[in-house]
Amino acid sequence: VVTGIARKAGDLGKVVFVFPGQGGQWAGMGLRLLKTSPAFAQSIQACEQALAPHTDWTLTDILHRPHTDPLWQRADVIQPALFALMTSLTTLWQSHGLNPDAVIGHSQGEITAAHACGALSLEDAAKIVALRSQTLQTLQGSGGMASVPLPADQVTALLHTMWPDQLWVAAINAPTTTVISGDTQALTQALNHYRDQDIDAKRIPVDYASHCPHIQAVQHELSDLLRDITPRAATTPFYSTTDNQWTDTTTLNAHYWYRNLRQPVHLTNAITNLTHQGHHTYIEISPHPTLTPAIQETTDTTHTPTTVISTLRRNHNDTHQLLHALAHAHTTGHPINWHPTHQHHTPTPQHTDLPTYPFQHQRYWLNTPTQTGD
């Protein structure tokens, strides 16, 4: 049973689609939706065709590979696969009548956000995510990243004192969630330091360092590879977590996508600013809720009633999770077009005998307790 507190249309606020970066991937993601949702399957096929000129693997083959397959460890496979999943999940949400008033992305998620808002064609977005992730392969083994459950100012002060020019703040995800990035040895020392202080800092499973000066090594290569992309004016507002502001999407050129990888991610500020501007529903479009806790923590500090919804969940039934997410949106007051669910696979009808005992006529509605006055 999915319950919620429905708000009137005027109190719902605006809807934001949020697209995370790497980390939510899992073997088997989307496989049930491929069978049960024609809209999802068609979008995956379109993404596969758009990625094909830039890859030596096929998307549907990757999605069917077991978690033990080494390809699931490669950024140049994971990132395009996540892009395709998020793009196709966006199609599903919109097919059910829920469209965003704004989009934001985290790191590589900004590529999907830019496509979702109309700023990038599918072909350009696929090219960016494929070629940029291949470029990252040249940085393998040169660094690492970790998540620290502390405010960014505290983390920054420690890094400047103990590991200057070795570690940097890579992302500010929530008031007490900060990602650091940099040299491998220094990162290990930092993790040991935090553990000695009983702070549960965790290494992120990547062997390169994004959102720090390490990325400068691939600047010229990225500029050359992406020089032909053609960004367009968006049909939905795009808030940049790279620049922490509303952005003219015609400027999302090759240099922007280098800066998106080089500069820190300002997710907390983005969510705070959007909430103050009347955006009160955040839907994480991803195969696993990697940013949902951070968004919830951030919106809680604004003291504004908000709704935060994730889409899929690792190793859970995709179709069931999607319908659960739609129900969550519905119970908070968002109109949902349930008709597309009839396009999902319908089980073969079976005859079921009715009970032989009389019905008890007992109701199981969830009723609001009667308010009584003095």
Side-chain angles (χ1 to χ4, degrees), residues 163-209:
W163 300 283
D165 300 321
Q166 298 178 70
L167 294 176
W168 298 266
V169 168
I172 307 170
N173 288 343
T176 60
T177 306
T178 305
V179 176
I180 62 176
S181 180
D183 299 350
T184 304
Q185 184 176 357
L187 188 68
T188 299
Q189 293 172 0
L191 287 169
N192 291 336
H193 169 85
Y194 284 122
R195 287 165 188 162
D196 289 343
Q197 302 297 317
D198 292 325
I199 297 170
D200 189 24
K202 296 180 179 179
R203 188 183 297 271
I204 296 172
V206 294
D207 59 354
Y208 55 86

Side-chain angles (χ1 to χ4, degrees), residues 1-6 93 307-311 319-334 336 338 364-366:
V1 175
V2 180
T3 63
I5 300 175
W93 275 102
T307 298
V308 185
I309 303 173
S310 59
T311 305
T319 303
H320 179 272
Q321 287 299 127
L322 174 69
L323 295 176
H324 188 278
L326 290 169
H328 188 176
H330 171 76
T331 58
T332 55
H334 291 282
I336 297 296
W338 293 102
Y364 288 91
W365 296 108
L366 296 173

Side-chain angles (χ1 to χ4, degrees), residues 117-119 231-235 248-250:
C117 74
R232 308 175 298 198
T235 55
D248 173 4
T249 55
T250 62

